[in-house]
């Protein structure tokens, strides 16, 4: 396989010698007469090895090695030097050069050095591919789902992850917006750097500025030492701003400056600090409506909303519920040291029928509560929280609601039938004991008694 080698030397005779040796060994040769001229070649995706003279006018070999190490760490650089500059060549090794050749040299020495550098290049490529594969696996395994909606979400994440582009994630509470943000980070080139999250609604307004920007000693009473903020902690990585719609107006202006200028000052300091951070924000608010109401800056919204992702509600991906439930069961059973391994088909059917207003978060909480109730190795309907069973259509009852099911009845009559069916099933499973049935349905015993009376349910018929 033909490899591409870049020769950087200001002497034409040396260029000619190198070209003859390398082309004779079957390589493609690029030539530059200075470090500055070589910069145009180092972004070539086919570049495999660089041979650079140490002493050149302008950008010398040492500076060129440092630049190559920064821009193309995957491309080995071999320094060519005279006897009198070996110390400088060794220094270049410390700066990132892969090897050095001492003038005068034999053609075989050049071939061996290039051959070894190509092997190093192949190892670096393989390691990069393996790291990318591990990162992809680590990132995507967090997002569970085989539905079309889930796959579209993952495709959007993969599309935006490689770039520094700001992302605004919207969606209902509990849809996993932070999980989406974390997956973007883990699939990005910044995955080995810091991931820092801050909830803009959970921190008191008077503390939010110092939490975000940090402060210096003496900035206020109790500031006994310098403290870095979340911005500084996220340097080189990703800062996730959750519930961004709740950020105070004065801080919106300061955050806008950070997004525009990429610099900030800690509280109590006039010194500007530059910051290299990727910003990802999330909200369950309608920020455009907030802008119209004067609660959110329009210019800040434009800065944050460079790329939008909507975290879909669970009710739009019902086919993912069994897989999600089983995933949560496996994780939580391990955490809780419970030997519960699966759901019964009936329990999964109840989970699939439920509307999940609390989305994925509610499903996870349901699995955790069911684990606490479960006495065997399989979660059955009786182990599910009562509210979940009551909110679903009982087995043997009507199917999921649609308007054509109403027939001549109105909505109140239809809901009464659903309520009656849920109560009858709970009473039957609990052998008519109302206290147990109320617990399964997630209501008080007194509330259940009133419902039984209202619906004229005969307890003795249920038991018999």
């Amino acid at each position: 396989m033909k490899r591409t080698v870049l020769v950087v030397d200001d002497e034409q005779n040396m260029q000619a010698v190198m070209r003859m040796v390398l082309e004779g060994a079957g390589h493609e040769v690029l030539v530059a007469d200075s470090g500055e001229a070589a910069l145009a070649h180092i972004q070539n995706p086919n570049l495999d090895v660089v041979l650079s003279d140490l002493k050149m006018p302008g950008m010398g070999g040492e500076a060129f090695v440092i630049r190559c190490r920064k821009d193309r760490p995957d491309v080995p650089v071999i320094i060519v030097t005279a006897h009198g500059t070996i110390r400088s060549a060794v220094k270049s090794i410390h700066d990132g050069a892969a090897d050095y050749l001492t003038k005068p040299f034999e053609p075989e020495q050049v071939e061996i050095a290039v051959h070894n550098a190509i092997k190093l290049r192949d190892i670096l490529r393989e390691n990069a591919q393996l790291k990318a594969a591990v990162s992809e696996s680590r990132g995507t395994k967090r997002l569970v789902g085989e539905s079309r909606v889930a796959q579209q979400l993952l495709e959007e994440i993969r599309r935006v992850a490689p770039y520094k582009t700001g992302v605004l994630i919207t969606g209902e509470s509990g849809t996993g917006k932070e999980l989406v943000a974390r997956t973007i980070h883990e699939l990005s080139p910044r995955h080995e750097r810091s991931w820092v999250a801050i909830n803009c609604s959970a921190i008191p307004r008077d503390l939010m500025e110092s939490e975000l920007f940090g402060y210096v000693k003496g900035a206020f009473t109790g500031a006994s030492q310098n403290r870095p903020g979340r911005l500084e902690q996220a340097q080189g990585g990703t800062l996730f701003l959750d519930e961004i719609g709740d950020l105070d107006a004065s801080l919106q202006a300061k955050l806008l400056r950070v997004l525009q200028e990429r610099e900030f000052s800690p509280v109590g300091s006039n010194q500007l600090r530059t910051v290299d951070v990727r910003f990802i924000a999330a909200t369950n608010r309608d920020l455009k409506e907030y802008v119209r109401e004067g609660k959110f800056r329009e210019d800040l919204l434009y800065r944050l909303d460079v790329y939008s992702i909507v975290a879909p509600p669970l009710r739009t991906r019902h086919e993912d519920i069994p897989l999600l439930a089983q995933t949560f069961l496996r994780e939580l059973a391990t955490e809780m040291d419970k030997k519960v391994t699966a759901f019964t088909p009936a329990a999964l059917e109840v989970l699939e029928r439920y509307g999940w207003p609390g989305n994925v978060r509610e499903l996870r909480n349901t699995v955790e509560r069911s684990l606490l109730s479960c006495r065997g190795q399989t979660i059955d309907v009786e182990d599910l929280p009562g509210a979940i069973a009551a909110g679903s259509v009982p087995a043997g009852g009507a199917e999921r609601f649609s308007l054509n099911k109403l027939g001549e009845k109105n909505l109140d009559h239809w809901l009464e039938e659903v309520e009656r069916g849920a109560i009858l099933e709970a009473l039957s499973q609990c052998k008519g004991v109302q206290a147990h049935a109320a617990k399964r349905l997630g209501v008080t015993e007194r509330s259940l008694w009133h419902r039984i009376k209202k619906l004229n349910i005969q307890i003795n018929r249920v038991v018999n």
Side-chain angles (χ1 to χ4, degrees), residues 51 88 92 139 148 150 153 157 166 233 237 254 271 287 301 310 346 355 359 363-364 388 425 437 446:
L51 276 162
S88 297
S92 294
R148 180 180 57 83
L153 174 62
I157 290 171
Q233 292 170 7
K254 294 182 178 181
Q271 182 181 1
L287 292 186
L301 176 57
V310 178
N359 293 295
L363 175 58
R364 192 180 194 280
I388 303 299
E425 183 176 348
R446 183 176 180 82

Side-chain angles (χ1 to χ4, degrees), residues 36 42 68 74 182 225 255 283 291 332 334 354 377 413 418:
E36 291 85 354
I42 62 174
C68 282
D74 58 321
R182 188 65 185 261
Q225 60 184 6
L255 178 60
T283 183
V291 168
L332 291 167
T334 300
Y354 185 64
Q377 294 186 344
H413 290 154
V418 173

Side-chain angles (χ1 to χ4, degrees), residues 161 163-167 184-185 188-190 193-198 212-213 229-241 255 257-264 273-281 303-304 306:
Y163 308 103
K164 192 178 178 179
T165 306
V167 180
I184 293 172
H185 170 75
S188 77
R190 297 169 176 258
R193 306 299 294 272
S194 298
W195 159 266
V196 178
I198 184 169
L212 187 59
F213 299 107
R230 303 293 179 92
L231 266 172
E232 195 168 344
Q233 292 170 7
Q235 180 73 0
T238 301
L239 179 62
F240 175 56
L241 299 163
L255 178 60
R257 175 175 174 78
V258 177
L259 288 165
Q260 289 175 332
E261 308 297 335
R262 298 288 167 174
E263 60 186 22
F264 72 98
R273 300 183 183 180
T274 58
V275 63
D276 173 23
V277 168
R278 181 181 194 169
F279 292 90
I280 302 178
R303 283 285 179 177
L304 293 169
V306 179

